[in-house]
Amino acid sequence: MQATAYTYDQESRSGQVLLDDGTPVPFDTPAFDAGGLRLLRPGQRVRIEMEGDRITLVTLQTF
């Protein structure tokens, strides 16, 4: 699933993404760490994986 980075806290490595319908969904440190990213900027397109209503992976969207 695709989303847009909305907020990101570098200290906690957590934040929120916006789904394409505008719904904000939070992600936690383990979801960020699973993607292998170092930094996330608001506005970046990302790929997310979810289990239920919880994000389990945040990584950059590649085509």
Side-chain angles (χ1 to χ4, degrees), residues 3-19 22-29 31-32 37-46 48 55 58-60:
T4 303
Y6 182 51
T7 64
Y8 174 68
D9 177 42
Q10 193 168 359
E11 284 188 31
S12 68
R13 297 185 322 275
S14 63
Q16 289 184 325
V17 299
L18 292 177
L19 301 181
T23 304
V25 181
F27 63 88
D28 56 15
T29 304
F32 183 78
L37 300 176
R38 294 186 200 172
L39 181 64
L40 193 58
R41 293 185 320 265
Q44 277 184 303
R45 287 296 282 175
V46 294
I48 61 172
I55 295 176
V58 177
T59 192
L60 292 181

